[in-house]
Amino acid sequence: MDSMNTNTTTRQYGAAIALVSGLYSLLSVTGSSGMMSSNSGLLMAILGVVVVVHGVVLLTPYADRLGTASGPLMIAYSLLMLLNQVLVGITGSSNWGMGMSGGMESGINGGMEGSMGSTMTAGMGWDLGMVALAFLMLISGLIMTNRSTDDSGM
């Protein structure tokens, strides 16, 4: 009975972390102008929905159907979030897969148009809140994975 309560508590913590991370992801994408049309924004929107659904499932009896996959899924979500943040941080743009057209336009057009385009992407760097939540989700996934391994007798 004690391991049952531990599993339930672990699932509740995992659900809370998934719900907060997923909702933060969705809110950060919908709150940023132009993020929804970028590769980074699209990834974070899709990931946000998936993570929220996973968090909700962890609070229902359907969590048993996930079995031991829940921890590795949380780890995968967190790694995708971290990878996305690294790409945004390195490229300085949320449109990391589409080339550097913003920088080229700035050099070609010059003047006010070019500087306005580069100013919009210059502020898009690391989202430290997302990085912190992704690390928290990574730790949660590791705990869930280790907990399921311990409970299965491996």
Side-chain angles (χ1 to χ4, degrees):
M1 188 73 166
D2 188 55
S3 70
M4 182 70 152
N5 289 337
T6 304
N7 283 340
T8 301
T9 303
T10 304
R11 280 188 195 162
Q12 289 171 344
Y13 282 126
I17 292 167
L19 289 170
V20 170
S21 299
L23 289 173
Y24 183 86
S25 178
L26 288 170
L27 289 174
S28 67
V29 170
T30 57
S32 300
S33 61
M35 273 292 279
M36 200 57 171
S37 62
S38 70
N39 293 334
S40 175
L42 184 60
L43 173 66
M44 293 312 292
I46 292 168
L47 200 53
V49 170
V50 170
V51 171
V52 166
V53 169
H54 186 183
V56 170
V57 168
L58 286 174
L59 296 173
T60 68
Y62 293 110
D64 290 333
R65 290 188 181 188
L66 285 175
T68 59
S70 193
L73 285 172
M74 294 279 274
I75 292 169
Y77 304 150
S78 68
L79 292 176
L80 283 172
M81 287 179 176
L82 288 170
L83 177 63
N84 184 52
Q85 287 302 307
V86 167
L87 290 172
V88 169
I90 288 172
T91 64
S93 170
S94 60
N95 217 4
W96 35 255
M98 300 302 283
M100 302 294 263
S101 63
M104 295 298 283
E105 288 172 11
S106 168
I108 293 171
N109 294 334
M112 191 63 121
E113 270 182 39
S115 65
M116 284 176 58
S118 62
T119 306
M120 289 182 68
T121 59
M124 294 181 159
W126 291 83
D127 181 344
L128 293 180
M130 184 58 68
V131 171
L133 286 170
F135 273 116
L136 190 58
M137 186 181 292
L138 176 63
I139 293 166
S140 173
L142 291 170
I143 291 169
M144 292 172 83
T145 300
N146 287 335
R147 181 85 56 195
S148 65
T149 303
D150 292 341
D151 292 340
S152 67
M154 287 187 202

